[in-house]
Amino acid sequence: LEYSVLFWGPAFLERVVGLPTAAAATGVAGFFVGVLAGRIALRLLAERFSPHTILLAAFAVGAAGFVFYWAVGTPWAAIAGITLLGLCVGPQYPLTMALGMGVAKSANDIA
């Protein structure tokens, strides 16, 4: 998911949304802002909510981001959508690793 947004995002913003090339490349930086914000938020949310709840909420944010990115078609919505996709992706790796280790129980070295 991460690489497809990063590789395809600038071309989409340029060709479909209509941003100039430099603005399209800059707009994809919203993804990294979202990832950073997602990791920071994860630190705060992990103390209050279960990993399952946070992960499901991240997927819901990602679905909303994809709608903004793909369906609205205006520059502000596409960049907001990319940022929301970053918020979705940010906590996925740490949470899925934690959940995987939790499922492995005594075999977490193997996991």
Side-chain angles (χ1 to χ4, degrees):
L1 180 63
E2 226 171 299
Y3 288 109
S4 50
V5 171
L6 296 175
F7 289 141
W8 188 51
F12 181 83
L13 290 176
E14 181 182 4
R15 295 180 188 151
V16 177
V17 177
L19 289 173
T21 304
T26 304
V28 175
F31 183 78
F32 294 113
V33 171
V35 170
L36 178 62
R39 296 273 169 97
I40 292 169
L42 176 62
R43 168 71 173 95
L44 301 171
L45 294 171
E47 297 173 353
R48 298 173 189 210
F49 301 100
S50 74
H52 293 93
T53 303
I54 299 169
L55 195 57
L56 288 174
F59 290 147
V61 168
F66 189 75
V67 169
F68 271 93
Y69 175 66
W70 186 261
V72 176
T74 61
W76 70 267
I79 293 172
I82 286 176
T83 305
L84 289 174
L85 286 171
L87 276 171
C88 169
V89 170
Q92 283 182 17
Y93 177 75
L95 287 176
T96 54
M97 287 302 295
L99 290 171
M101 295 300 229
V103 169
K105 298 196 193 267
S106 64
N108 59 8
D109 289 338
I110 297 170

